[in-house]
């Protein structure tokens, strides 16, 4: 039975050993955060997918809705008020059961998490997938830094354009009021106004770059990382119920333990299927994210390079052509909406 439980494609269990010395372990800042993540996801009172294997059963101390002794003395048709109370009682019992099952699941996951952190348990690891996930997180951090710097550049360019506009107006005013320097002030006024127009064009290109990087980082990458977080939560649950099943498999056998073992096998299989489904979802999303990232960044980096080069070369025509080429064109009403990648 143990071999059938532990067989899975492209995964392996990595035991974590501390040689029995937990006092010398370094303080883990992520442990509290992980525990909070386990505890914060409260029970979904509209979903009963998690069932305790062998530890739950029917709720003790709950009075059944059916009448007990003396029910023959009651009228055959209860009053509307009595029927309403039965409905409310039934809902309360159902919600209590959901909360109890969530509590048991949270206990199992917390126990598994602590066991992993303190070196007394094992966790299932897909080495290739874990490496891709870590690479995505590192890439997201670097892209966030680029996004922050691009936003700062946009703010500086805006201030520069405003200053050049004001300086051009000041030169133009002095050109009218200083006949002896009218020509010189006029040249400088025209130069500042031209620089201001080019700066506004460059600012438009930089803002388009910022918008596209922001969409990639805070929408596309974040959506993939949300699936990753669901996958990691499913992995923890899977290992928790696997450990529970392993402990029950080596326990002494009696009628009660066999019943608990059968229930634990069902729960283990359910969480295994959930874990494998989310693992496949993460792998697919990582693949498509990489393809989209390359396509989007190829276009955006070309825009950024051409716009900046044209601006500092003083090539106004090339600068305007660059922006027109990359800015999404207006479409007539009723036209089919372009895909997200086309808009980028």
């Amino acid at each position: 039975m143990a071999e059938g439980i532990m067989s899975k494609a492209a995964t392996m269990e990595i035991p974590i050993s501390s040689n029995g010395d937990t006092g010398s372990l370094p303080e883990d800042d992520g442990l509290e955060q992980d525990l909070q993540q386990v505890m914060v996801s409260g029970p979904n009172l509209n979903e009963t997918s998690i069932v305790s294997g062998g530890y739950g059963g029917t709720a003790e101390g709950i009075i059944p809705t059916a009448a007990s002794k003396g029910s023959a003395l009651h009228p055959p048709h209860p009053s509307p008020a009595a029927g309403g109370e039965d409905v409310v009682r039934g809902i309360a019992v159902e919600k209590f059961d959901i909360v109890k099952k969530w509590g048991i699941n949270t206990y199992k996951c917390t126990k598994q998490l602590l066991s992993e952190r303190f070196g007394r348990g094992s966790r299932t690891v897909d080495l290739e997938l874990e490496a891709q996930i870590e690479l995505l997180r590192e890439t997201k951090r670097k892209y966030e830094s680029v996004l922050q710097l691009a936003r700062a550049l946009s703010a500086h360019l805006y201030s520069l354009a405003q200053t050049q506009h004001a300086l051009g107006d000041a030169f133009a005013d002095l050109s009218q009021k200083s006949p002896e320097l009218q020509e010189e002030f006029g040249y400088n006024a025209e130069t500042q106004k031209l620089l201001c127009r080019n700066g506004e064009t460059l600012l438009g290109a930089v803002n388009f770059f910022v918008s596209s990087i922001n969409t990639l980082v805070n929408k596309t990458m974040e959506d993939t990382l949300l699936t990753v977080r669901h996958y990691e939560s499913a992995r923890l649950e899977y290992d928790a119920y696997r450990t529970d099943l392993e402990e029950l498999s080596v326990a002494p056998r009696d009628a009660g333990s066999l019943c608990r073992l059968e229930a634990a096998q069902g729960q283990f299989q359910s969480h295994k299927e959930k874990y494998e489904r989310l693992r496949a979802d993460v792998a697919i999303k990582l693949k498509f994210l990489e393809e989209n990232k390359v396509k989007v960044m190829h276009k955006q980096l070309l825009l950024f390079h051409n716009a900046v080069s044209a601006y500092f070369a003083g090539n106004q025509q090339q600068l305007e052509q660059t922006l027109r080429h990359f800015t999404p064109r207006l479409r007539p009403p009723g036209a089919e909406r372009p895909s997200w990648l086309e808009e980028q």
Side-chain angles (χ1 to χ4, degrees):
M1 177 185 299
E3 292 182 359
I5 294 172
M6 304 304 297
S7 60
K8 23 190 183 299
T11 60
M12 60 183 294
E13 292 174 18
I14 296 182
I16 305 172
S17 175
S18 63
N19 298 323
D21 182 13
T22 59
S24 61
L25 290 175
E27 182 178 356
D28 191 346
D29 295 335
L31 178 58
E32 182 179 355
Q33 181 179 357
D34 290 338
L35 287 173
Q36 290 176 351
Q37 183 176 357
V38 170
M39 298 299 297
V40 75
S41 56
N44 183 352
L45 299 183
N46 296 320
E47 183 177 334
T48 58
S49 60
I50 299 175
V51 180
S52 165
Y55 296 97
T58 54
E60 297 180 1
I62 301 298
I63 301 176
T65 55
S68 56
K69 280 188 175 182
S71 60
L73 301 177
H74 293 172
H77 300 290
S79 64
E85 292 177 359
D86 289 343
V87 172
V88 172
R89 187 180 297 110
I91 294 175
V93 170
E94 180 182 0
K95 290 187 176 182
F96 173 79
D97 191 47
I98 294 172
V99 171
K100 185 176 75 170
K101 292 169 184 175
W102 169 80
I104 293 173
N105 182 74
T106 302
Y107 166 76
K108 290 179 183 294
C109 292
T110 304
K111 178 183 176 183
Q112 175 66 24
L113 179 63
L114 292 173
S115 177
E116 292 175 5
R117 291 302 179 93
F118 289 104
R120 294 191 296 268
S122 62
R123 66 187 296 263
T124 303
V125 177
D126 187 325
L127 296 176
E128 182 180 357
L129 192 62
E130 293 290 335
Q132 294 177 2
I133 291 172
E134 183 57 32
L135 179 61
L136 170 59
R137 288 182 169 133
E138 180 65 21
T139 300
K140 185 173 184 289
R141 286 191 290 268
K142 292 180 178 178
Y143 274 51
E144 285 172 339
S145 177
V146 170
L147 179 60
Q148 182 180 7
L149 293 171
R151 283 174 170 161
L153 177 62
S154 175
H156 293 320
L157 288 174
Y158 176 79
S159 298
L160 177 61
Q162 292 294 101
T163 303
Q164 289 172 335
H165 186 275
L167 187 58
D169 288 343
F171 283 151
D173 181 64
L174 287 171
S175 175
Q176 297 296 325
K177 298 179 179 179
S178 305
E180 68 283 3
L181 294 172
Q182 181 177 7
E183 188 173 348
E184 288 81 356
F185 276 126
Y187 288 154
N188 280 278
E190 291 298 322
T191 300
Q192 292 302 318
K193 289 180 180 179
L194 176 61
L195 289 174
C196 180
R197 287 196 299 268
N198 289 348
E200 290 173 350
T201 305
L202 176 62
L203 181 61
V206 172
N207 286 340
F208 185 57
F209 177 83
V210 167
S211 175
S212 299
I213 303 302
N214 180 67
T215 300
L216 179 63
V217 171
N218 293 317
K219 292 185 179 180
T220 311
M221 288 184 179
E222 185 59 34
D223 176 72
T224 302
L225 286 174
L226 178 61
T227 305
V228 168
R229 288 191 287 271
H230 290 161
Y231 157 74
E232 291 173 339
S233 176
R235 196 283 306 165
L236 182 63
E237 289 181 343
Y238 166 74
D239 279 336
Y241 283 88
R242 174 183 57 79
T243 302
D244 189 40
L245 179 58
E246 290 172 351
E247 292 174 355
L248 289 173
S249 298
V250 298
R253 300 296 175 86
D254 54 32
S257 65
L258 289 175
C259 181
R260 291 192 295 271
L261 179 61
E262 182 179 356
Q265 287 174 335
Q267 287 303 306
F268 167 78
Q269 186 63 32
S270 173
H271 285 286
K272 178 182 178 182
E273 292 173 357
K274 178 182 178 183
Y275 162 73
E276 291 179 344
R277 183 179 67 253
L278 283 168
R279 184 179 64 185
D281 290 345
V282 169
I284 292 172
K285 283 202 171 187
L286 286 172
K287 177 183 177 182
F288 282 110
L289 173 62
E290 182 64 22
E291 294 174 355
N292 292 347
K293 182 194 71 175
V294 171
K295 185 173 181 178
V296 170
M297 291 307 299
H298 172 77
K299 184 175 182 178
Q300 293 303 318
L301 290 172
L302 187 62
L303 160 69
F304 192 85
H305 173 269
N306 290 348
V308 172
S309 298
Y311 173 79
F312 284 101
N315 193 333
Q316 180 183 0
Q317 183 178 2
Q318 181 183 349
L319 182 60
E320 293 175 352
Q321 287 178 351
T322 298
L323 190 59
R324 283 197 302 268
H325 176 71
F326 284 95
T327 302
R329 297 177 177 83
L330 295 176
R331 286 172 169 78
E336 184 178 355
R337 180 175 177 81
S339 68
W340 176 80
L341 284 175
E342 290 175 342
E343 290 181 339
Q344 302 310 305

